[in-house]
C-alpha cells in the first residue's frame, strides 16, 4: 500500500480498544465468513427439494437463489462504511447474530415468498459480517506481509464455505434441518466474537450518509429485481420500470455522494485502476462463476438423475480445489500481481467450463471431472486475489468500505448470472442439457472478457 502513508494506518488503529490476538481475529472472521458462504450455497444442491416443498414453479426458482445476493448487494457498501465509522466489531457481531437468527427461521418457511424474504434477510446480515471482517483483518495485521497472509486465508475460507455448504446440506435428513444446524453454528461464532475481537474504527466526523445509503440500497433492489424478473421477458412493463427506477436512483446517489462530507464511497476512487479492477473482478466473478455454479447442481440432478448428496460430492472437486488453491496463492505474491491472478483465474474458468460441453447431453458425470478441476483452480485464484486487491485499492482506514464495494459488485453479478443461467438453460429448444451447454458457452465468453478487462485497465487522470 505504498500510495497511502503509514500515518494513516496508525491513526486508524489508535481509536481501538486493547487489541485481541491477531490469530483469534483471523480465526473468528474466517469461520464466520465460511458459515455465511455455507448458508449462501445451502440451496444449491437442495433446490429441487425446496421448490417441491414450497410449490415453487420453475419461473420463480431464481428467487430462491437470488434472495441472499439481493440482500448482500443492497447493503454491503452501506455496511462497510458503517463499520469503518462506527465500529467494525460492532457491525460484525450484529451481522453474525442476525445471520444465525434468520437462518434458523428459514427452516420454518412455508411459502416461496417467505423463504425468499428469509434469504434476503440472510443476505443483509451477511453483508454486515463480510464487509466488516476484512476491516478487522487489516486492523489486526498492519504489515503488508501480514495482510497478504491473512487475506489469503480469508479468501480460502470463502472457497471453504462454498465447498462445505452443499456437503452439510446434502448430509442432513432434509433442507429444513440443515437450516437449523447452520443457524446454530452461526450463533456460536457470534457468541465467541463478542469477547474474541477488539473494536476498531476510523471515524471521519460528520453525520451518517443516510441519503446515500437509502438511494444506493433502493437502486440495487430495483436492479436485482429487474434482473430476476427479466428471465420471464425483458420487454415487460415491470422490468422496464424497475430498470428506469434503478438508473434514476443511481444518478441521485452520485449527486448525493458528491455533496456529502462523509460519503459512503469516494467517487474519486473510480479513477484508480486497482479499484476498478477490484470492482470489475467482483462483478464478473459473480456473473460468470457464481451465476453458473449456483444453478449447475440443480441441472445435474434433473438431467443426470444424481441425488443431492452425489451432486455435493461431485462439486466438492471444484470447490475443494478452490479452497486449496486460494490458501496457497499467497506464495504468488511478489511474482504475480493480483490483477494478473484475476486474469489467469478467469481464463482457467473459461477453459474448464468449455471442456464440460456435451457432458450432460451424453449423460456422463465423468466427463465433467477435468473441467471441474481446471475451473476449481481458477476459482481459487479469484478468491485469493479479490480480497487482497479490495483492501489494497483503498486507504487502510477505509478497508471495510473497499471490501463492501468489491463484494457489492460480486453479488450484483451473481444475481444477473443466476438469472441469465436459468434463462439460457430453460429456454433452449433442445432441453435442459443443451440449454446448459449454451449457458456454459456464455459464461466462458464473459470470463474471457473479464480477463482482458482487468489487465487493460489504466489509471485515469
Amino acid at each position: 500500500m505504498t500510495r497511502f502513508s503509514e500515518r494513516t494506518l496508525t491513526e486508524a488503529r489508535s481509536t481501538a480498544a486493547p487489541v485481541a490476538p491477531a490469530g483469534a481475529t483471523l480465526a473468528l472472521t474466517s469461520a464466520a465468513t465460511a458459515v455465511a458462504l455455507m448458508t449462501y450455497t445451502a440451496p444449491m444442491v437442495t433446490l429441487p427439494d425446496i421448490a417441491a416443498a414450497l410449490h415453487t414453479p420453475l419461473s420463480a426458482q431464481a428467487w430462491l437463489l437470488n434472495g441472499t445476493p439481493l440482500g448482500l448487494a443492497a447493503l454491503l457498501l452501506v455496511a462497510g462504511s458503517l463499520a469503518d465509522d462506527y465500529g467494525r466489531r460492532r457491525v460484525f457481531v450484529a451481522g453474525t447474530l442476525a445471520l444465525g437468527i434468520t437462518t434458523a427461521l428459514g427452516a420454518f418457511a412455508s411459502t416461496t415468498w417467505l423463504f425468499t424474504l428469509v434469504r434476503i434477510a440472510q443476505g443483509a446480515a451477511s453483508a454486515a459480517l463480510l464487509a466488516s471482517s476484512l476491516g478487522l483483518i487489516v486492523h489486526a495485521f498492519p504489515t503488508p506481509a501480514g495482510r497478504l497472509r491473512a487475506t489469503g486465508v480469508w479468501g480460502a475460507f470463502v472457497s471453504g464455505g462454498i465447498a462445505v455448504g452443499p456437503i452439510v446440506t446434502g448430509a442432513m435428513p432434509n433442507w429444513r434441518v440443515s437450516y437449523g444446524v447452520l443457524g446454530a453454528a452461526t450463533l456460536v461464532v457470534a457468541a465467541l466474537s463478542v469477547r474474541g475481537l477488539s473494536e476498531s474504527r476510523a471515524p471521519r466526523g460528520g453525520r451518517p450518509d443516510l441519503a446515500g445509503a437509502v438511494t444506493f440500497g433502493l437502486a440495487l433492489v430495483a436492479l436485482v429485481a429487474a434482473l430476476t424478473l427479466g428471465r420471464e421477458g425483458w420487454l415487460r412493463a415491470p422490468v422496464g420500470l424497475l430498470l428506469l427506477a434503478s438508473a434514476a436512483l443511481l444518478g441521485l446517489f452520485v449527486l448525493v455522494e458528491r455533496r456529502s462530507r462523509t460519503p459512503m464511497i469516494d467517487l474519486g476512487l473510480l479513477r484508480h485502476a486497482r479499484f476498478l479492477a477490484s470492482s470489475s473482478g467482483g462483478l464478473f466473478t459473480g456473473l460468470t462463476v457464481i451465476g453458473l455454479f449456483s444453478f449447475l447442481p440443480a441441472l445435474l440432478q434433473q438431467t443426470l438423475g444424481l441425488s443431492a448428496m452425489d451432486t455435493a460430492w461431485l462439486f466438492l472437486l471444484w470447490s475443494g480445489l478452490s479452497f486449496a488453491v486460494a490458501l496457497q496463492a499467497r506464495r504468488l505474491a511478489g511474482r504475480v500481481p493480483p490483477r494478473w491472478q484475476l486474469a489467469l483465474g478467469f481464463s482457467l474458468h473459461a477453459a474448464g467450463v468449455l471442456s464440460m460441453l456435451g457432458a450432460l447431453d451424453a449423460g456422463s458425470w465423468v466427463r465433467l471431472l477435468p473441467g471441474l478441476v481446471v475451473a476449481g483452480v481458477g476459482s481459487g485464484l479469484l478468491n485469493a486475489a479479490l480480497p487482497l486487491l479490495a483492501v489494497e485499492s483503498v486507504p487502510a482506514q477505509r478497508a471495510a468500505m473497499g471490501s463492501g464495494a468489491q463484494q457489492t459488485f460480486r453479488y450484483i453479478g451473481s444475481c444477473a448470472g443466476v438469472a441469465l443461467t436459468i434463462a439460457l438453460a430453460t429456454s433452449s429448444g433442445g432441453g435442459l442439457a443443451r440449454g446448459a451447454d449454451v449457458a456454459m458457452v456464455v459464461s466462458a465468453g464473459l470470463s474471457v472478457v473479464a480477463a482482458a478487462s482487468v489487465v487493460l485497465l489504466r489509471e485515469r487522470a
Side-chain angles (χ1 to χ4, degrees), residues 362-392:
S364 172
W365 61 267
V366 176
R367 285 183 54 181
L368 295 169
L369 299 181
L372 290 173
V373 169
V374 175
V377 173
S379 178
L381 290 173
L382 293 174
N383 286 335
L386 281 171
L388 180 60
L389 195 57
V391 299
E392 283 188 343

Side-chain angles (χ1 to χ4, degrees), residues 413-435:
S414 74
C415 288
V418 166
L420 179 62
T421 300
I422 293 177
L424 293 172
T426 59
S427 301
S428 173
L432 286 176
R434 294 292 179 87

Side-chain angles (χ1 to χ4, degrees), residues 174-371:
N174 59 65
W175 65 271
R176 295 185 186 277
V177 174
S178 70
Y179 264 63
V181 170
L182 290 173
T186 310
L187 291 174
V188 170
V189 176
L192 293 173
S193 299
V194 172
R195 300 192 64 179
L197 297 174
S198 59
E199 187 59 282
S200 67
R201 59 176 64 88
R204 296 172 293 166
R207 294 177 297 178
D209 184 17
L210 295 179
V214 171
T215 53
F216 188 75
L218 290 177
L220 292 187
V221 169
L223 176 60
V224 172
L227 293 173
T228 305
L229 292 174
R231 66 166 303 275
E232 301 174 33
W234 291 102
L235 299 180
R236 295 186 305 136
V239 176
L241 290 173
L242 285 168
L243 289 173
L244 287 174
S246 179
L249 287 165
L250 283 174
L252 183 59
F253 170 73
V254 171
L255 292 176
V256 168
E257 295 304 279
R258 286 180 172 175
R259 297 189 176 194
S260 175
R261 289 181 56 195
T262 53
M264 281 201 309
I265 182 171
D266 178 5
L267 297 179
L269 290 170
L270 296 174
R271 293 193 295 270
H272 298 305
R274 282 189 174 187
F275 186 80
L276 288 173
S278 171
S279 301
S280 63
L283 178 67
F284 277 103
T285 297
L287 187 61
T288 61
V289 180
I290 301 176
L292 178 65
F293 281 94
S294 290
F295 192 62
L296 195 55
L299 287 173
L300 293 184
Q301 293 179 54
Q302 295 176 55
T303 56
L304 302 182
L306 299 177
S307 68
M309 198 61 191
D310 289 339
T311 307
W313 283 115
L314 182 61
F315 270 75
L316 183 62
L317 181 62
W318 168 72
S319 54
L321 271 170
S322 178
F323 171 76
V325 170
L327 200 58
Q328 297 301 319
R330 67 181 184 275
R331 302 181 188 279
L332 296 174
R335 305 174 189 173
V336 182
R339 286 168 62 184
W340 284 98
Q341 286 186 47
L342 288 181
L344 180 58
F346 283 123
S347 299
L348 289 173
H349 171 77
V353 166
L354 289 176
S355 73
M356 294 191 288
L357 292 176
L360 275 64
D361 199 28
S364 172
W365 61 267
V366 176
R367 285 183 54 181
L368 295 169
L369 299 181

Side-chain angles (χ1 to χ4, degrees), residues 47 156 266 303 334 423 455 459:
L47 182 61
D266 178 5
T303 56
V455 170
E459 296 284 341

